[in-house]
Amino acid sequence: MGFKCGIIGLPNVGKSTLFNALTKSHIPAKNFMFCTIKPNIGLAPVYDYRIKTLEKIISPDRTVNTFIEFVDVAGLVQGASKGAGLGNQFLYDIKQTDAILHVVRCFMDDNIVHINNKINPIGDIEIINIELILSDFESCNKILSNIRNKKGKKSINYNKKISVLEKCLNCLKNTKLLTTLHLDDKDLELIHDINFITLKPIMYIANVSEDKNQNVHLKKILQFALKENIPIVPICILNKNNESQLNLIIEIGYRLLKLKTFFTVGKQEVRAWTIKENTTSLEASKKIHTDFQKGFIRAQIISYEDFIKYKKESKVREVGKMRFEGKKYIIKDGDIIHFLFNV
């Protein structure tokens, strides 16, 4: 799979309950600190109206959705970057993810313990952000020192990497997330191997109450997220009737990861496949089977819109809407593909 959204937050804010709702799992989610110690991993199907439409046209033997992987990470506390609580493990687990869902408590309930004994969503966000920044600062400073101390011939990329890391270090010194730097693709490629946490795309999950009178802090976090240009989904995680909000979280997670979907269709199966942006037809063919990539000849492409308009492959071909593309073709979201290969 390889596309992971990490669910983070302070202890006891609803991370495991959200994980269970998204992945239809049954891991423990109890009212005490550090209920989760080791990360839990599960898959959530991505709702896509297009696959339902294709299913109606084709009437296949089976339909297979695409999925996103979610990781329920242990709760973080102040001082985690120095090893407090489960800090070291938490930070390691977050580094293994591609995007972050930050769950923040916005409701009042004396029966559910808050680690700081007060409801303050902005303060909670700041506690976690500081720990992530401190972790990245330590990594950046260490790597920058190692690179500067290396002997031998210095390449152009070497000097560019130092320059980018110096920008990062300065940003982190000012207690800002690295996403605020707006680095270009070339800069990001130079430091891709470092896997900075605060460069990962993020979404806030505002855990609210069904009783609107208890959500006195919701407005503050909505304003904060808008100012920071970070997507936010308010949801009562304990509510069993929140399917639309859960689907919205999955959909935004899909976008945060910069993922696209292509389809394969036939009487035996209609299936959605997940790929990253700018994936070539050759790379996409490997998703189905390595033999497809080894013996790749070309890809037969029909756009989703053309397929649902004409209903049949023969009709699409007849009106000239089917085309053949080579190895370097960049797959578009919604492409319906048949790979031609010879092994």
Side-chain angles (χ1 to χ4, degrees):
M1 175 63 67
F3 307 122
K4 294 181 180 179
C5 283
I7 302 175
I8 73 168
L10 292 175
N12 214 29
V13 295
K15 300 184 302 298
S16 295
T17 306
L18 176 63
F19 174 85
N20 284 337
L22 288 167
T23 63
K24 306 297 186 287
S25 301
H26 302 282
I27 63 165
K30 299 180 181 178
N31 185 21
F32 61 83
M33 304 304 168
F34 304 114
C35 175
T36 300
I37 297 178
K38 294 183 178 180
N40 301 294
I41 299 174
L43 298 177
V46 179
Y47 175 79
D48 192 325
Y49 71 92
R50 296 174 298 184
I51 200 167
K52 294 296 181 185
T53 306
L54 291 171
E55 184 179 38
K56 288 178 182 178
I57 294 171
I58 302 295
S59 298
D61 295 337
R62 68 171 183 162
T63 301
V64 183
N65 289 287
T66 190
F67 290 83
I68 284 188
E69 193 170 344
F70 286 97
V71 182
D72 175 31
V73 179
L76 175 146
V77 295
Q78 193 165 7
S81 59
K82 302 299 180 185
L86 300 171
N88 293 330
Q89 183 63 45
F90 170 94
L91 295 166
Y92 173 81
D93 293 336
I94 286 299
K95 275 184 174 285
Q96 310 314 307
T97 66
D98 304 296
I100 295 172
L101 274 60
H102 185 163
V103 181
V104 186
R105 178 172 170 178
C106 296
F107 65 89
M108 311 287 288
D109 189 337
D110 293 337
N111 296 316
I112 299 178
V113 180
H114 187 289
I115 193 168
N116 295 324
N117 296 315
K118 62 179 179 179
I119 310 303
N120 179 8
I122 307 304
D124 292 352
I125 288 171
E126 288 172 347
I127 286 172
I128 286 194
N129 282 351
I130 287 295
E131 296 306 322
L132 300 182
I133 287 166
L134 288 171
S135 175
D136 276 355
F137 177 83
E138 186 177 339
S139 296
C140 187
N141 196 33
K142 184 176 180 180
I143 290 167
L144 194 52
S145 296
N146 289 341
I147 292 175
R148 283 172 174 159
N149 291 332
K150 278 186 178 178
K151 297 179 180 180
K153 190 176 180 180
K154 307 297 189 291
S155 67
I156 295 174
N157 274 354
Y158 169 93
N159 292 321
K160 285 182 178 178
K161 187 166 186 174
I162 285 182
S163 176
V164 175
L165 286 171
E166 286 173 342
K167 285 182 190 176
C168 292
L169 195 66
N170 189 53
C171 175
L172 295 164
K173 273 183 183 176
N174 290 305
T175 63
K176 291 183 179 180
L177 304 175
L178 291 178
T179 48
T180 62
L181 274 180
H182 305 295
L183 297 171
D184 62 30
D185 289 342
K186 290 182 180 178
D187 288 343
L188 290 172
E189 185 61 33
L190 286 170
I191 58 173
H192 175 74
D193 59 315
I194 301 172
N195 202 12
F196 285 124
I197 297 174
T198 64
L199 269 178
K200 298 179 187 296
I202 189 169
M203 168 188 4
Y204 293 133
I205 309 298
N207 190 5
V208 299
S209 171
E210 289 182 277
D211 181 356
K212 292 183 180 180
N213 294 322
Q214 292 191 28
N215 297 322
V216 295
H217 299 282
L218 179 58
K219 186 177 179 180
K220 294 178 183 178
I221 192 175
L222 289 171
Q223 291 173 339
F224 179 82
L226 181 64
K227 181 182 175 182
E228 299 293 316
N229 196 29
I230 293 174
I232 180 169
V233 178
I235 180 173
C236 178
I237 294 174
L238 288 173
N239 189 333
K240 303 298 182 183
N241 301 310
N242 53 20
E243 201 66 30
S244 62
Q245 291 301 90
L246 292 171
N247 285 333
L248 181 59
I249 291 171
I250 294 169
E251 180 186 328
I252 294 175
Y254 206 73
R255 293 205 302 265
L256 285 177
L257 292 168
K258 296 184 177 180
L259 303 178
K260 301 292 184 185
T261 301
F262 74 89
F263 301 98
T264 52
V265 301
K267 289 300 293 181
Q268 288 186 324
E269 178 184 270
V270 168
R271 181 188 284 255
W273 301 85
T274 300
I275 52 172
K276 287 197 171 185
E277 275 185 353
N278 301 316
T279 295
T280 65
S281 54
L282 182 64
E283 292 165 337
S285 67
K286 187 181 178 181
K287 293 283 293 185
I288 301 175
H289 199 286
T290 53
D291 283 350
F292 282 30
Q293 187 179 47
K294 290 176 184 176
F296 184 94
I297 300 173
R298 58 186 180 273
Q300 173 189 293
I301 310 288
I302 302 172
S303 73
Y304 168 79
E305 290 76 14
D306 287 335
F307 192 90
I308 61 170
K309 180 178 179 180
Y310 297 106
K311 303 293 191 293
K312 291 182 179 181
E313 187 178 298
S314 57
K315 185 63 177 176
V316 174
R317 185 186 294 108
E318 182 183 318
V319 297
K321 293 295 184 177
M322 178 188 292
R323 64 189 191 279
F324 292 93
E325 301 286 355
K327 295 178 179 180
K328 295 182 180 180
Y329 170 72
I330 302 297
I331 304 296
K332 294 181 175 61
D333 189 55
D335 276 348
I336 295 169
I337 308 177
H338 175 63
F339 293 104
L340 305 177
F341 70 104
N342 183 23
V343 177

